[in-house]
Coordinates of all heavy atoms in Angstrom, one line a residue:
M1 N -82.5 141.3 142.7 CA -81.7 142.5 142.3 C -82.1 143.7 143.2 O -82.1 144.8 142.7 CB -81.8 142.8 140.9 CG -81.2 141.7 139.9 SD -79.4 141.7 140.1 CE -79.0 143.2 139.2
T2 N -82.5 143.4 144.4 CA -82.8 144.6 145.2 C -81.7 145.0 146.2 O -81.8 146.0 146.8 CB -84.1 144.2 146.1 OG1 -83.8 143.0 146.8 CG2 -85.3 144.0 145.2
T3 N -80.7 144.2 146.2 CA -79.6 144.6 147.1 C -78.8 145.7 146.4 O -78.7 145.9 145.2 CB -78.6 143.4 147.3 OG1 -78.2 142.9 146.0 CG2 -79.3 142.3 148.0
H4 N -78.3 146.6 147.3 CA -77.5 147.7 146.8 C -76.1 147.3 146.7 O -75.3 147.3 147.6 CB -77.7 148.9 147.8 CG -78.9 149.6 147.6 ND1 -79.1 150.9 147.9 CD2 -80.1 149.2 147.1 CE1 -80.3 151.3 147.6 NE2 -81.0 150.3 147.1
E5 N -75.7 147.0 145.4 CA -74.3 146.7 145.2 C -73.5 148.0 145.3 O -74.0 149.1 144.9 CB -74.1 146.1 143.8 CG -74.8 144.8 143.7 CD -74.6 144.2 142.3 OE1 -73.5 144.4 141.8 OE2 -75.5 143.7 141.7
P6 N -72.3 147.9 145.7 CA -71.5 149.2 145.8 C -71.3 149.8 144.4 O -70.9 149.1 143.5 CB -70.2 148.7 146.4 CG -70.1 147.3 146.1 CD -71.5 146.8 146.1
M7 N -71.5 151.1 144.3 CA -71.3 151.8 143.1 C -70.1 152.8 143.3 O -70.1 153.5 144.3 CB -72.5 152.6 142.7 CG -73.7 151.8 142.3 SD -73.7 151.5 140.5 CE -75.5 151.1 140.3
Q8 N -69.2 152.8 142.4 CA -68.2 153.8 142.5 C -68.6 155.0 141.7 O -69.0 154.9 140.5 CB -66.9 153.3 141.9 CG -66.2 152.2 142.7 CD -64.9 151.8 142.2 OE1 -64.6 151.7 141.0 NE2 -63.9 151.5 143.1
I9 N -68.7 156.2 142.4 CA -69.1 157.4 141.7 C -68.0 158.4 141.7 O -67.4 158.8 142.7 CB -70.3 158.0 142.5 CG1 -71.5 157.0 142.5 CG2 -70.8 159.3 141.9 CD1 -72.6 157.4 143.4
E10 N -67.7 158.8 140.5 CA -66.6 159.8 140.3 C -67.2 161.1 139.8 O -67.9 161.1 138.7 CB -65.6 159.2 139.3 CG -64.4 160.2 139.0 CD -63.5 159.6 137.9 OE1 -63.6 158.5 137.5 OE2 -62.6 160.4 137.5
D11 N -66.9 162.1 140.5 CA -67.4 163.4 140.1 C -66.6 164.0 138.9 O -65.4 164.2 139.1 CB -67.4 164.4 141.3 CG -68.2 165.7 141.0 OD1 -68.4 166.0 139.9 OD2 -68.6 166.3 142.0
L12 N -67.2 164.2 137.8 CA -66.5 164.7 136.6 C -66.6 166.2 136.5 O -66.1 166.8 135.6 CB -67.1 164.0 135.3 CG -67.0 162.5 135.2 CD1 -67.6 162.0 134.0 CD2 -65.5 162.1 135.3
G13 N -67.3 166.8 137.5 CA -67.3 168.2 137.5 C -68.5 168.9 136.8 O -69.4 168.2 136.3
L14 N -68.5 170.2 136.8 CA -69.6 170.9 136.3 C -69.4 171.3 134.8 O -68.3 171.7 134.4 CB -69.8 172.2 137.1 CG -71.1 173.0 137.0 CD1 -72.3 172.1 137.5 CD2 -71.0 174.2 137.8
D15 N -70.4 171.0 134.0 CA -70.4 171.3 132.6 C -71.4 172.4 132.3 O -72.5 172.4 132.9 CB -70.6 170.1 131.8 CG -70.5 170.3 130.3 OD1 -69.6 171.0 129.9 OD2 -71.3 169.8 129.6
S16 N -71.2 173.3 131.4 CA -72.2 174.3 131.1 C -72.2 174.6 129.6 O -71.2 174.5 128.9 CB -71.9 175.6 131.9 OG -70.7 176.2 131.5
H17 N -73.4 174.8 129.1 CA -73.5 175.2 127.7 C -74.7 176.0 127.5 O -75.5 176.2 128.4 CB -73.7 173.9 126.9 CG -74.9 173.1 127.2 ND1 -74.9 172.1 128.2 CD2 -76.1 173.1 126.7 CE1 -76.1 171.6 128.2 NE2 -76.9 172.2 127.3
I18 N -74.8 176.7 126.4 CA -75.9 177.5 126.1 C -77.1 176.7 125.5 O -76.8 176.1 124.5 CB -75.5 178.7 125.2 CG1 -74.4 179.5 125.8 CG2 -76.8 179.6 124.9 CD1 -74.8 180.2 127.1
D19 N -78.2 176.8 126.0 CA -79.4 176.2 125.5 C -79.8 177.0 124.2 O -80.2 178.2 124.3 CB -80.6 176.2 126.5 CG -81.8 175.5 126.0 OD1 -82.1 175.6 124.8 OD2 -82.4 174.7 126.8
R20 N -79.7 176.3 123.0 CA -80.0 177.0 121.8 C -81.4 177.4 121.6 O -81.8 178.3 120.9 CB -79.5 176.1 120.6 CG -78.0 175.9 120.6 CD -77.6 175.1 119.4 NE -76.2 174.7 119.5 CZ -75.2 175.4 119.2 NH1 -75.4 176.7 118.8 NH2 -74.0 175.0 119.3
T21 N -82.3 176.7 122.3 CA -83.7 177.0 122.2 C -84.1 178.3 123.0 O -84.8 179.2 122.6 CB -84.6 175.8 122.7 OG1 -84.2 174.7 121.9 CG2 -86.0 176.1 122.5
H22 N -83.6 178.3 124.3 CA -84.0 179.4 125.2 C -82.9 180.4 125.3 O -83.1 181.5 125.9 CB -84.3 178.8 126.5 CG -85.4 177.8 126.5 ND1 -85.2 176.4 126.5 CD2 -86.7 177.9 126.4 CE1 -86.3 175.8 126.4 NE2 -87.3 176.7 126.4
G23 N -81.7 180.1 124.8 CA -80.6 181.1 124.9 C -80.1 181.3 126.3 O -79.5 182.3 126.6
S24 N -80.4 180.3 127.2 CA -80.0 180.5 128.6 C -78.9 179.5 128.9 O -78.7 178.5 128.2 CB -81.2 180.2 129.5 OG -81.7 178.9 129.2
L25 N -78.2 179.8 129.9 CA -77.1 179.0 130.3 C -77.6 177.7 131.1 O -78.4 177.9 132.0 CB -76.1 179.8 131.2 CG -74.9 179.0 131.7 CD1 -74.0 178.7 130.5 CD2 -74.2 179.8 132.8
V26 N -77.2 176.6 130.6 CA -77.6 175.4 131.3 C -76.3 174.8 131.9 O -75.3 174.6 131.3 CB -78.1 174.3 130.2 CG1 -78.4 173.0 130.9 CG2 -79.4 174.9 129.6
M27 N -76.5 174.4 133.2 CA -75.4 173.8 133.9 C -75.7 172.4 134.2 O -76.9 172.1 134.5 CB -75.1 174.6 135.2 CG -74.5 176.0 134.9 SD -73.9 176.8 136.4 CE -75.5 177.0 137.3
A28 N -74.7 171.5 134.1 CA -75.0 170.1 134.4 C -73.8 169.5 135.1 O -72.6 169.8 134.8 CB -75.2 169.4 133.0
K29 N -74.1 168.7 136.1 CA -73.1 168.0 136.8 C -73.0 166.6 136.2 O -74.0 166.0 135.9 CB -73.4 167.9 138.3 CG -73.5 169.2 139.0 CD -73.6 169.1 140.5 CE -72.3 168.7 141.1 NZ -72.3 168.7 142.5
R30 N -71.8 166.2 136.0 CA -71.6 164.9 135.4 C -70.8 163.9 136.4 O -69.9 164.4 137.1 CB -70.8 165.0 134.1 CG -71.5 165.8 133.1 CD -70.7 166.2 131.9 NE -70.4 165.0 131.0 CZ -69.1 164.6 130.7 NH1 -68.1 165.3 131.2 NH2 -68.9 163.6 130.0
F31 N -71.3 162.7 136.3 CA -70.7 161.7 137.2 C -70.4 160.4 136.4 O -71.2 160.1 135.6 CB -71.6 161.3 138.4 CG -72.0 162.5 139.2 CD1 -73.1 163.3 138.9 CD2 -71.2 162.8 140.3 CE1 -73.5 164.3 139.7 CE2 -71.6 163.9 141.1 CZ -72.7 164.7 140.8
R32 N -69.3 159.8 136.7 CA -69.1 158.5 136.1 C -69.4 157.5 137.2 O -68.8 157.5 138.3 CB -67.6 158.3 135.6 CG -67.5 157.1 134.8 CD -66.1 157.0 134.2 NE -65.1 156.8 135.2 CZ -63.8 156.5 134.9 NH1 -63.5 156.4 133.7 NH2 -63.0 156.3 135.9
V33 N -70.3 156.6 136.8 CA -70.8 155.6 137.8 C -70.4 154.2 137.3 O -70.7 153.9 136.2 CB -72.3 155.7 138.0 CG1 -72.8 154.7 139.1 CG2 -72.7 157.1 138.4
C34 N -69.8 153.5 138.2 CA -69.4 152.2 137.8 C -69.7 151.1 138.9 O -69.2 151.3 140.0 CB -67.9 152.1 137.5 SG -67.3 150.6 136.9
R35 N -70.5 150.2 138.5 CA -70.8 149.1 139.4 C -69.6 148.1 139.3 O -69.1 147.9 138.2 CB -72.1 148.4 139.1 CG -72.7 147.6 140.2 CD -73.8 146.7 139.6 NE -74.9 147.4 139.0 CZ -76.1 147.6 139.6 NH1 -76.3 147.1 140.8 NH2 -77.0 148.2 139.0
T36 N -69.3 147.5 140.4 CA -68.1 146.6 140.4 C -68.2 145.6 139.2 O -69.2 144.9 139.1 CB -68.0 145.9 141.7 OG1 -67.9 146.8 142.8 CG2 -66.7 145.0 141.8
G37 N -67.2 145.6 138.4 CA -67.2 144.6 137.3 C -68.0 144.9 136.1 O -68.1 144.1 135.2
K38 N -68.7 146.1 136.1 CA -69.6 146.4 135.0 C -69.0 147.6 134.3 O -68.1 148.3 134.7 CB -71.0 146.8 135.5 CG -71.7 145.6 136.2 CD -72.0 144.5 135.2 CE -72.8 143.4 135.9 NZ -74.1 143.8 136.3
T39 N -69.6 147.9 133.1 CA -69.1 149.0 132.3 C -69.5 150.3 133.0 O -70.7 150.5 133.4 CB -69.8 148.9 130.9 OG1 -69.5 147.7 130.3 CG2 -69.2 150.1 130.0
P40 N -68.6 151.3 133.1 CA -69.0 152.6 133.7 C -69.9 153.4 132.7 O -69.8 153.2 131.5 CB -67.6 153.3 133.8 CG -66.7 152.6 132.8 CD -67.2 151.2 132.7
H41 N -70.8 154.1 133.3 CA -71.7 155.0 132.6 C -71.6 156.4 133.1 O -71.2 156.6 134.2 CB -73.1 154.5 132.7 CG -73.4 153.2 131.9 ND1 -73.5 153.2 130.5 CD2 -73.5 151.9 132.3 CE1 -73.6 151.9 130.1 NE2 -73.6 151.1 131.2
V42 N -72.0 157.3 132.3 CA -71.9 158.7 132.6 C -73.3 159.3 132.9 O -74.2 159.2 132.0 CB -71.2 159.6 131.6 CG1 -71.3 161.1 132.0 CG2 -69.8 159.1 131.4
V43 N -73.6 159.7 134.1 CA -74.8 160.3 134.5 C -74.7 161.8 134.4 O -73.7 162.4 134.9 CB -75.2 159.9 135.9 CG1 -76.5 160.7 136.4 CG2 -75.5 158.4 136.0
T44 N -75.6 162.5 133.7 CA -75.6 163.9 133.6 C -76.8 164.5 134.3 O -77.9 164.0 134.0 CB -75.6 164.3 132.1 OG1 -74.5 163.7 131.4 CG2 -75.5 165.8 132.0
V45 N -76.6 165.4 135.2 CA -77.7 166.0 135.9 C -77.7 167.5 135.7 O -76.8 168.2 136.1 CB -77.6 165.7 137.4 CG1 -78.8 166.3 138.2 CG2 -77.5 164.2 137.7
E46 N -78.8 167.9 135.0 CA -78.9 169.4 134.8 C -79.3 170.0 136.1 O -80.2 169.5 136.8 CB -79.9 169.7 133.7 CG -79.4 169.3 132.3 CD -80.3 169.8 131.2 OE1 -81.3 170.5 131.5 OE2 -80.0 169.5 130.1
V47 N -78.7 171.1 136.4 CA -79.0 171.8 137.7 C -79.3 173.3 137.3 O -78.9 173.9 136.4 CB -77.8 171.8 138.7 CG1 -77.5 170.4 139.1 CG2 -76.6 172.4 138.1
S48 N -80.2 173.8 138.2 CA -80.5 175.3 138.0 C -79.4 176.1 138.5 O -78.4 175.7 139.1 CB -81.8 175.5 138.8 OG -81.6 175.5 140.2
H49 N -79.6 177.4 138.4 CA -78.5 178.4 138.8 C -78.3 178.3 140.3 O -77.2 178.6 140.8 CB -78.9 179.8 138.5 CG -78.9 180.0 137.0 ND1 -77.7 180.3 136.3 CD2 -79.9 179.9 136.0 CE1 -78.0 180.4 135.0 NE2 -79.3 180.2 134.8
S50 N -79.3 177.8 141.1 CA -79.2 177.7 142.5 C -78.6 176.3 142.9 O -78.4 176.0 144.0 CB -80.5 177.9 143.2 OG -81.4 176.9 142.8
G51 N -78.4 175.5 141.9 CA -77.8 174.2 142.1 C -78.8 173.1 142.3 O -78.4 172.0 142.6
A52 N -80.1 173.4 142.2 CA -81.1 172.4 142.4 C -81.2 171.4 141.2 O -81.2 171.9 140.1 CB -82.4 173.0 142.7
P53 N -81.2 170.2 141.4 CA -81.3 169.2 140.3 C -82.6 169.4 139.5 O -83.6 169.6 140.0 CB -81.3 167.8 140.9 CG -80.7 168.1 142.3 CD -81.1 169.5 142.7
Q54 N -82.5 169.4 138.1 CA -83.6 169.6 137.3 C -84.0 168.3 136.6 O -85.2 167.9 136.5 CB -83.3 170.7 136.2 CG -83.0 172.0 136.9 CD -84.1 172.6 137.6 OE1 -85.1 172.9 137.0 NE2 -84.0 172.8 138.9
S55 N -83.0 167.7 136.0 CA -83.3 166.5 135.2 C -82.1 165.6 135.2 O -81.0 166.2 135.2 CB -83.9 166.8 133.8 OG -82.9 167.4 133.1
E56 N -82.3 164.3 135.1 CA -81.2 163.4 135.1 C -81.2 162.6 133.8 O -82.3 162.3 133.4 CB -81.1 162.5 136.3 CG -81.2 163.2 137.6 CD -82.6 163.5 138.1 OE1 -83.5 162.9 137.5 OE2 -82.8 164.3 139.0
R57 N -80.1 162.3 133.3 CA -80.0 161.3 132.2 C -78.8 160.5 132.3 O -77.8 160.9 132.9 CB -80.2 161.9 130.9 CG -79.1 162.9 130.5 CD -79.4 163.4 129.1 NE -78.3 164.3 128.7 CZ -78.2 165.6 128.9 NH1 -79.2 166.1 129.6 NH2 -77.2 166.3 128.5
C58 N -78.8 159.3 131.7 CA -77.7 158.4 131.7 C -77.5 157.8 130.4 O -78.4 157.8 129.5 CB -77.9 157.3 132.8 SG -76.6 156.1 133.0
D59 N -76.3 157.4 130.1 CA -76.0 156.9 128.7 C -76.2 155.4 128.6 O -75.8 154.8 127.6 CB -74.6 157.3 128.3 CG -73.5 156.7 129.1 OD1 -73.8 156.1 130.1 OD2 -72.3 156.9 128.7
C60 N -76.7 154.8 129.7 CA -76.9 153.3 129.6 C -78.2 152.9 129.0 O -79.1 153.8 128.7 CB -76.8 152.8 131.0 SG -78.3 153.0 132.0
R61 N -78.3 151.7 128.6 CA -79.4 151.2 127.9 C -80.7 151.2 128.8 O -81.8 151.4 128.3 CB -79.1 149.8 127.4 CG -80.0 149.3 126.3 CD -79.5 148.0 125.7 NE -78.3 148.2 125.0 CZ -77.6 147.3 124.4 NH1 -78.0 146.0 124.4 NH2 -76.4 147.5 123.8
G62 N -80.5 150.9 130.0 CA -81.6 150.9 131.0 C -82.3 152.2 131.0 O -83.6 152.3 131.0
F63 N -81.6 153.3 130.9 CA -82.2 154.6 131.0 C -83.0 154.9 129.7 O -84.1 155.5 129.7 CB -81.2 155.7 131.2 CG -81.7 157.1 131.1 CD1 -82.4 157.6 132.2 CD2 -81.6 157.9 130.0 CE1 -83.0 158.9 132.2 CE2 -82.2 159.2 130.0 CZ -82.9 159.7 131.1
Q64 N -82.4 154.4 128.5 CA -83.1 154.6 127.3 C -84.5 153.9 127.3 O -85.5 154.4 126.7 CB -82.3 154.1 126.1 CG -81.0 154.9 125.9 CD -80.2 154.3 124.8 OE1 -80.7 153.6 123.9 NE2 -78.9 154.6 124.8
Y65 N -84.5 152.8 127.9 CA -85.8 152.0 127.9 C -86.7 152.5 129.0 O -87.9 152.5 128.8 CB -85.5 150.5 128.2 CG -84.8 149.8 127.0 CD1 -83.9 148.8 127.2 CD2 -85.2 150.2 125.7 CE1 -83.3 148.2 126.1 CE2 -84.6 149.6 124.6 CZ -83.7 148.6 124.8 OH -83.1 148.0 123.7
H66 N -86.2 152.8 130.2 CA -87.1 153.0 131.3 C -87.1 154.5 131.8 O -87.9 154.9 132.6 CB -86.6 152.2 132.5 CG -86.6 150.7 132.2 ND1 -87.7 150.0 131.8 CD2 -85.5 149.9 132.1 CE1 -87.3 148.7 131.6 NE2 -86.0 148.6 131.7
G67 N -86.2 155.3 131.3 CA -86.2 156.7 131.7 C -85.5 156.9 133.1 O -85.5 158.0 133.6
T68 N -85.1 155.8 133.6 CA -84.3 155.9 134.9 C -83.4 154.7 135.0 O -83.6 153.7 134.2 CB -85.2 156.0 136.1 OG1 -84.4 156.3 137.3 CG2 -86.0 154.8 136.3
C69 N -82.5 154.7 135.9 CA -81.6 153.5 136.0 C -80.9 153.6 137.4 O -81.0 154.5 138.1 CB -80.6 153.5 134.9 SG -79.4 154.9 134.9
A70 N -80.2 152.5 137.6 CA -79.6 152.4 138.9 C -78.4 153.4 139.1 O -78.1 153.7 140.2 CB -79.0 150.9 139.1
H71 N -77.9 153.8 138.0 CA -76.7 154.7 138.0 C -77.2 156.1 138.6 O -76.6 156.7 139.4 CB -76.1 154.9 136.7 CG -75.7 153.6 136.0 ND1 -76.4 153.1 134.9 CD2 -74.8 152.7 136.3 CE1 -75.9 151.9 134.6 NE2 -74.9 151.7 135.4
I72 N -78.4 156.5 138.0 CA -78.9 157.8 138.5 C -79.3 157.7 140.0 O -79.0 158.6 140.8 CB -80.2 158.2 137.7 CG1 -79.7 158.5 136.2 CG2 -81.0 159.3 138.3 CD1 -80.8 158.8 135.3
T73 N -79.9 156.6 140.3 CA -80.3 156.3 141.7 C -79.1 156.4 142.6 O -79.1 157.0 143.7 CB -81.0 155.0 141.9 OG1 -82.2 154.9 141.0 CG2 -81.5 154.7 143.3
A74 N -78.0 155.8 142.2 CA -76.8 155.8 143.0 C -76.3 157.2 143.2 O -75.8 157.5 144.3 CB -75.8 154.9 142.3
V75 N -76.3 158.0 142.2 CA -75.8 159.3 142.3 C -76.7 160.1 143.3 O -76.1 160.8 144.2 CB -75.8 160.1 140.9 CG1 -75.5 161.6 141.1 CG2 -74.7 159.5 140.0
I76 N -78.0 160.0 143.1 CA -78.9 160.7 144.0 C -78.7 160.2 145.5 O -78.6 161.1 146.4 CB -80.3 160.5 143.6 CG1 -80.6 161.2 142.2 CG2 -81.3 161.1 144.6 CD1 -81.9 160.9 141.6
E77 N -78.6 158.9 145.7 CA -78.6 158.4 147.0 C -77.2 158.7 147.6 O -77.1 158.7 148.9 CB -78.8 156.9 147.0 CG -80.3 156.6 146.7 CD -80.5 155.1 146.8 OE1 -79.5 154.3 146.9 OE2 -81.7 154.7 146.8
S78 N -76.2 158.9 146.8 CA -74.9 159.2 147.4 C -74.8 160.6 148.0 O -73.9 160.9 148.7 CB -73.8 159.1 146.3 OG -73.9 160.2 145.4
G79 N -75.8 161.5 147.6 CA -75.7 162.8 148.1 C -74.8 163.7 147.3 O -74.5 164.9 147.7
S80 N -74.3 163.2 146.2 CA -73.3 164.0 145.4 C -74.0 165.2 144.7 O -73.2 166.1 144.3 CB -72.7 163.1 144.3 OG -72.1 162.0 144.9
L81 N -75.3 165.2 144.7 CA -75.9 166.4 144.0 C -76.1 167.5 145.0 O -76.4 168.6 144.6 CB -77.3 165.9 143.5 CG -77.3 165.0 142.3 CD1 -78.7 164.6 142.0 CD2 -76.7 165.7 141.1
A82 N -75.9 167.3 146.2 CA -76.1 168.4 147.2 C -75.0 169.4 147.0 O -73.8 169.2 147.4 CB -76.0 167.8 148.6
C83 N -75.3 170.5 146.4 CA -74.4 171.6 146.2 C -74.9 172.9 146.6 O -74.6 173.9 146.0 CB -73.9 171.5 144.8 SG -75.2 171.7 143.6
Y84 N -75.9 172.9 147.4 CA -76.5 174.2 147.9 C -75.5 175.0 148.7 O -74.7 174.4 149.4 CB -77.7 173.9 148.7 CG -78.8 173.1 148.0 CD1 -78.9 171.8 148.2 CD2 -79.6 173.7 147.0 CE1 -79.9 171.0 147.5 CE2 -80.5 173.0 146.3 CZ -80.7 171.7 146.6 OH -81.6 170.9 145.9
P85 N -75.5 176.3 148.5 CA -74.5 177.1 149.2 C -74.4 176.9 150.7 O -73.4 176.9 151.3 CB -75.0 178.5 148.9 CG -75.7 178.4 147.6 CD -76.4 177.0 147.7
N86 N -75.6 176.7 151.3 CA -75.6 176.5 152.7 C -75.8 175.1 153.1 O -76.2 174.8 154.3 CB -76.7 177.4 153.4 CG -78.1 177.1 152.7 OD1 -78.2 176.2 151.8 ND2 -79.1 177.7 153.2
G87 N -75.6 174.2 152.2 CA -75.8 172.7 152.5 C -74.5 172.2 153.0 O -74.3 171.1 153.3
Ligands
LIG101 ZN1 -77.6 154.2 133.8

């Protein structure tokens, strides 16, 4: 399972909400990631105000067990997180 199967990554856009603990605005980019023939999962990447990725999570079982998964890797490797103003 080391081969990189093609992943379809759909940008679901930027989501923002207020962190109830810190009272600060949290922004997150969401992606729907679907490996061919598999169930799509939603990867959520919290980003700072400058757009730098802070933390990633996924709704798949692999992430719950391992804290990371192929969906997150696919999003990162796709370069979809690159949203720097001068990038
Ligand atoms: Zn996943």
